[in-house]
Amino acid sequence: MYRHSVRRQFATASVLREWHQIPLAPPDKILGITEAFKEDKNPNKINLGVGAYRDNTGKPIIFPAVKKAEKKLYDNEKEKEYTAITGSKNFQDIVKNFIFNNSNKDPNGKKLIDEGRIVTAQTISGTGSLRVIADFIARFYNSKKIYVPKPTWANHVAVFTDAGLQPEYYAYYDTSKNDLDFANLKSSLQKADDGSVVLLHACCHNPTGMDLTGDQWEQVLEIIQQKKLFPLIDMAYQGFASGSPYEDISLIRRMTELAVENKIPTFALCQSFAKNMGLYGERTGSISIITESADQSKAIESQLKKLIRPIYSSPPIHGSKIVETIFNEGLLDEWLADLDKVVGRLNTIRQKLYDNLDKSNYNWDHLLKQRGMFVYTGLNPEQMKRLRDEFSVYATDDGRFSISGINDANVEYLADAINQVIKK
């Protein structure tokens, strides 16, 4: 009895010593910016760090179509039961039809759906879908190496590394020219290990906002076929390029065509409704895996369930029910109009920022080529520090601005601050 007590005390003391040795983790870069912004007393301060939409008064919004969907749920919802491990069948079908069948416009997508070649699971937004597919690849794919664009969303590398994958960069953006580095992009992909995984941004590349043209995508997809790479597509900003979700998925339409032709027979897509429906905190997204056969789909779906069950058991239901209500109860057109209005404001304020910038010693034309929620300014860390210290403008050190934080009330102040820090 005494010996057991001593052992327990010794074990407890050892554990406590282990806890005391845990180092302090560095703060998240984006969240750290928000905290510093909150503490700043300057009435002209601007937060350009967080990628969440703000209206022209600087306030967050709820899409009107989303409010109507929630009202319908409030009036008619009868239960809050758990959903299935991979989410509701209704949600899965909506995602498949909306993205791959282009809302009944794409015969190739319809063929894949009808043949049972698409496995879709609801996940915890975009980050959750990325982590699920990363874990899945680490367990079942024959390569652990994943090539990501340089630069890419900072959390990509963290998610893939924590899942046991081995991220490496391929060339994407030339900071000296503020433009796509397409020649080196192709060259670096051609040097990738055969059969490895490659991460592609479907549209509104984060952080640069610089997307490939249709012809450039064709060249990249040709390399993917030659090298037998497995494409993992991240689509967090569908609709934010053009204002139309349908126009923004040209890459997906081409991928479904190649899948039907068995030229790229299998790929994966991570998708989120966080941005294009404003469902940030609802954490509503999906993962879809295009397979080579219905039998393969059954095996993959079973392993997805086995993987998800010990992580979070099943996804939250409120956000997915909002999506289902918008698509199934007459709110789709209103949501599309809401989204187009949001993107229209971003494009307008992007133009206003450009118009107010001094172009005598710096070329700002790249701002108008970029698409989506961000502008990748090309400002260096020293200039970003000056913006923060002297003008209370908060953004990441790589010069990425969340354009939704800019509005009619602060665009001239921001442009003047930028003009001052780039003066030679």
Side-chain angles (χ1 to χ4, degrees), residues 85-215:
I85 295 173
T86 54
S88 77
K89 181 68 163 52
N90 188 18
F91 179 84
Q92 294 169 16
D93 290 344
I94 285 170
V95 168
K96 288 178 187 178
N97 187 50
F98 178 55
I99 295 174
F100 298 101
N101 193 18
N102 199 11
S103 289
N104 302 313
K105 298 182 182 71
D106 189 342
N108 291 306
K110 185 176 187 305
K111 182 176 177 62
L112 293 177
I113 294 170
D114 290 346
E115 292 178 355
R117 288 182 57 188
I118 303 179
V119 177
T120 297
Q122 182 189 341
T123 56
I124 303 178
S125 205
T127 304
S129 64
L130 286 163
R131 181 55 189 256
V132 168
I133 190 59
D135 281 336
F136 186 84
I137 290 169
R139 290 188 185 192
F140 297 107
Y141 196 62
N142 57 10
S143 174
K144 301 295 184 288
K145 189 170 289 186
I146 179 168
Y147 291 88
V148 304
K150 186 176 183 180
T152 194
W153 179 47
N155 213 22
H156 278 143
V157 171
V159 168
F160 298 145
T161 301
D162 279 1
L165 301 183
Q166 301 162 8
E168 291 191 15
Y169 287 106
Y170 65 86
Y172 191 86
Y173 194 80
D174 185 342
T175 54
S176 67
K177 297 179 180 178
N178 286 320
D179 205 351
L180 190 71
D181 190 6
F182 189 62
N184 282 324
L185 186 158
K186 290 195 300 179
S187 176
S188 56
L189 284 182
Q190 286 165 342
K191 295 173 185 174
D193 292 350
D194 289 0
S196 51
V197 184
V198 59
L199 176 72
L200 309 174
H201 293 226
C203 62
C204 304
H205 178 271
N206 183 2
T208 70
M210 198 69 73
D211 291 339
L212 277 66
T213 65
D215 179 65

Side-chain angles (χ1 to χ4, degrees), residues 33 46-49 384 388 393-397 399-402:
I33 289 169
I46 305 174
N47 185 1
L48 304 178
M384 294 305 299
R388 184 168 58 249
V393 174
Y394 291 84
T396 52
D397 285 345
R400 187 198 79 164
F401 290 177
S402 176

